């Protein structure tokens, strides 16, 4: 029943642009709708800490699903709030037509719906289908402006992610093969397979997990399968960039986690842990190299997403309680901080009409609030105290050191240091200095002010203390992840 | 059963050899037809009504609608028929054979499959997947990439039908739906690429770098 609300609301909102023609109204209804959904998810996630919901063997949600539902609803809300002004201006400046703006909202809702769907179904096959559907729905949002670059990005996005996902299908079938042959379970339901996981064939399981990890890892943006990510993130409509980076990548990780639990129950956490740490570290190294040489502001943020996905993967890979805690918390922190950065970058691109970092100067002068939030945001993003990302990164590091993975921790620290330097270098050039003489000082619209303050508060508050309510959600999720 | 698997294997090798877009589409259609016959014989043999539906869906979508749609598209955007091979057919064939030998080793050594039909079925399906990836990487037309992906999906289905009998019914229906939507959406993007760039050569899409 509760899940029906979570899934039904985006569908209901998707009907609005079909009926109402005025963009302003559609935008306001969407923001209100997603706000309600966010509050609802917050309550739902809290209730799921104690129990799990299942409905007709099809829907299944436990604390882990609750956490992801909360994450998706949060980012959907802030993305729809940002869209109010962003899409409004695009329509006013005749960049897109009214019809196209309505299409945007329709696709936005479908995209959010498919993400919700993938986190609340029991069947591993259906999870596969809904993750593929997230690619297909969001591809139109990546290629939305129909320019050469955006269509190229969308094409690469669909093709690379679909190949990845096709490999994941093969992995899923191998899971089914060993479940039906060795354990006699003729279903792909996660609850049923994980209940009999001790009986599965370890060899087949290992191979299947490799396919799953490479497959869904492509969608999660883990290097070296990340090549679609900078293109798609930089070309997508800015609110959608936030959705892609903030939650889409994590939805793919959610699928990996579900499989990981089964594999860990059967053969212990070393195998999956080592693989995840390995891929995570490669992502960190790749991100560090490309962040240094980057010229395009949104691509810079995209590579930073690869870095953070790497950190999350490393945290999960370390496999201790603290590692899981750090990784889950990091998912949340990254979603909040990265959305803020994308929104700031989106404002800058609108104002300066350029993606090139070296051509943009004096943002603090020309757009004071955006500039100030970006200044805080870049320190938060690169992991400085007292912001939230610092906290989760240090948790992951402690987990690594207590697990005696010194080499991994060393690479981790080196990459973080390089990325810190790179981000601060790029953003200081962009924020400080003189604004172009002809440029007017930008007055932020109300929706942006609310948005920036909301995100800023979360970012600082979670760096100082974690609310008990949220803490419980994380702890309950870890109980599901940790199978020992 | 075994014969069909071998026919599918031969057809897949022919896909690697084909130089023209239409030949590739036809090859995919024939391969899907074999998959349909395989699913049908399974259905008759196991008296499984769900498998009949699956077989019918293969016939409808993969033998009927998708190849028809692709052919219509090729005609509509008047691309030249050359696939743009970056590796010549003979060398491609050698690579494909190596890939299938690798799949055979994989099936026997790592998967630890015991009886011969299983080994054959598994190694053929894995090599279909690998060859699908090969087609995607080394053929430069957008249509070829779509077909490569559909071939990979055929390989997965072959695994499911040959190895497990079938996977749960509604999962299979959902996957079919997904593939269909996927083909349509890629078609839309091919039209857009053709309109914006006036060609569909993927190796010339190079604006986004670094």
């Amino acid at each position: 029943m509760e899940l029906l609300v979570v899934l039904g609301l985006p569908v209901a909102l998707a009907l609005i642009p079909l009926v109402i023609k005025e963009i302003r109204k559609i935008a306001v209804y969407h923001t209100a709708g997603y706000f309600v959904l966010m509050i609802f998810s917050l309550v739902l996630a809290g209730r799921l800490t104690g129990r799990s919901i299942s409905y007709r063997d099809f829907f299944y949600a436990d604390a882990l699903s609750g956490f992801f539902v909360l994450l998706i609803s949060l980012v959907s809300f802030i993305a729809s709030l940002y869209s109010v002004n962003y899409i409004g201006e695009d329509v006013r400046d005749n960049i897109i037509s009214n019809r196209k703006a309505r299409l945007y909202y329709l696709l936005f809702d479908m995209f959010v719906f498919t993400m919700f769907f993938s986190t609340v179904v029991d069947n591993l096959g259906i999870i596969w289908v809904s993750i593929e559907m997230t690619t297909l729905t969001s591809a139109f949002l990546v290629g939305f402006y129909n320019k050469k670059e955006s269509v190229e990005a969308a094409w690469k996005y669909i093709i690379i992610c679909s190949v990845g996902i096709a490999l994941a299908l093969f992995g899923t079938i191998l899971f089914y093969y060993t479940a039906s042959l060795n354990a006699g379970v003729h279903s792909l339901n996660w609850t049923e397979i994980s209940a009999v996981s001790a009986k599965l064939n370890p060899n087949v399981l290992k191979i299947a997990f490799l396919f799953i990890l490479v497959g869904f890892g492509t969608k999660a943006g883990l290097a070296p399968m990340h090549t679609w990510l900078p293109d798609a993130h930089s070309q997508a409509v800015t609110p959608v960039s936030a959705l892609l980076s903030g939650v889409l990548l994590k939805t793919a990780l959610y699928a990996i986690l579900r499989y990981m639990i089964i594999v860990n129950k059967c053969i212990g956490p070393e195998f999956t842990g080592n693989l995840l740490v390995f891929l995570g570290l490669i992502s960190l190294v790749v991100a560090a190299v490309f962040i240094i040489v980057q010229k395009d502001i949104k691509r810079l943020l995209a590579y930073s997403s690869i870095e953070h996905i790497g950190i999350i993967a490393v945290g999960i890979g370390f496999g201790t309680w603290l590692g899981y805690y750090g990784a889950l918390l990091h998912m949340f922190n990254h979603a909040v901080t990265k959305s803020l950065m994308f929104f700031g970058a989106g404002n800058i691109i609108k104002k300066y009409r350029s993606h090139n970092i070296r051509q943009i100067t004096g943002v603090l002068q020309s757009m004071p609030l955006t500039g100030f939030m970006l200044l805080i945001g870049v320190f938060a993003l690169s992991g400085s105290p007292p912001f939230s990302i610092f906290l989760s990164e240090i948790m992951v590091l402690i987990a690594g050191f207590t697990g005696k993975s010194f080499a991994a921790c060393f690479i981790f620290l080196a990459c973080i240091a390089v990325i810190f330097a790179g981000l601060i270098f790029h953003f200081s050039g962009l924020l400080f200095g003189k604004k172009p003489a002809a440029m007017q000082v930008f007055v932020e619209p109300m929706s942006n002010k609310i948005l920036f303050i909301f995100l800023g508060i979360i970012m600082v508050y979670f760096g100082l203390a974690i609310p008990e309510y949220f803490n419980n959600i994380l702890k309950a999720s870890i109980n599901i992840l940790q199978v020992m | 059963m075994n014969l069909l698997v071998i026919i599918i294997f031969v057809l897949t090798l022919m896909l690697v050899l084909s130089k023209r877009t239409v030949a590739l589409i036809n090859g995919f259609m024939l391969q899907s037809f074999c998959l349909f016959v395989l699913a049908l014989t399974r259905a008759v043999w196991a008296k499984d009504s769900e498998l009949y539906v699956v077989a019918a869906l293969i016939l409808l979508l993969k033998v009927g609608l998708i190849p028809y749609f692709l052919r219509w598209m090729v005609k509509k955007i008047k691309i030249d028929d050359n696939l743009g091979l970056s590796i010549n057919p003979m060398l491609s064939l050698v690579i494909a054979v190596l890939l299938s030998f690798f799949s055979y080793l994989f099936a026997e050594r790592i998967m630890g499959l015991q009886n011969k039909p299983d080994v054959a079925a598994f190694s053929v399906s894995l090599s279909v997947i690998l060859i699908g990836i090969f087609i995607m990487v080394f053929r430069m037309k957008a249509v070829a990439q779509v077909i490569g992906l559909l071939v990979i999906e055929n390989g997965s289905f072959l695994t499911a039908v040959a190895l497990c009998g079938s996977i749960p019914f509604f999962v299979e229906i959902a996957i079919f739906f997904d593939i269909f939507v996927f083909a349509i959406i890629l078609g839309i993007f091919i039209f857009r690429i053709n309109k914006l760039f006036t060609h569909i050569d993927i190796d010339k899409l190079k604006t986004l770098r670094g």
Side-chain angles (χ1 to χ4, degrees), chain B residues 141-160:
Chain B
K141 282 286 187 312
V143 181
Q145 297 201 315
V146 179
I147 298 207
L149 205 60
L150 292 168
V151 168
I152 297 175
E153 228 118 23
N154 267 0
S156 298
F157 260 96
L158 187 62
T159 326

Side-chain angles (χ1 to χ4, degrees), chain B residues 21-22 24-30 32 58-77 143 146-147 150 180 183-184 187 191:
Chain B
T21 315
V22 178
L24 205 61
I25 297 173
N26 287 340
F28 166 73
M29 198 180 77
L30 281 174
S32 309
I58 295 178
L59 187 66
L60 179 70
L61 288 179
K62 289 191 159 173
V63 185
L65 284 174
I66 292 178
Y68 176 78
F69 174 66
L70 289 173
R71 260 195 228 113
W72 173 78
M73 193 167 64
V74 167
K75 212 180 275 175
K76 180 103 178 171
I77 58 182
V143 181
V146 179
I147 298 207
L150 292 168
F180 187 62
I184 300 282
F191 274 114

Side-chain angles (χ1 to χ4, degrees), chain A residues 379-417:
Chain A
F379 277 101
L381 191 64
S382 48
S384 340
F387 301 107
S388 53
I389 284 187
F390 169 73
L391 200 64
S392 44
E393 278 184 3
I394 212 83
M395 281 177 186
V396 171
L397 262 180
I398 294 173
F401 277 117
T402 48
K404 300 214 166 28
S405 321
F406 296 119
C409 286
F410 175 73
I411 300 172
F412 184 104
L413 275 172
C415 290
I416 299 265

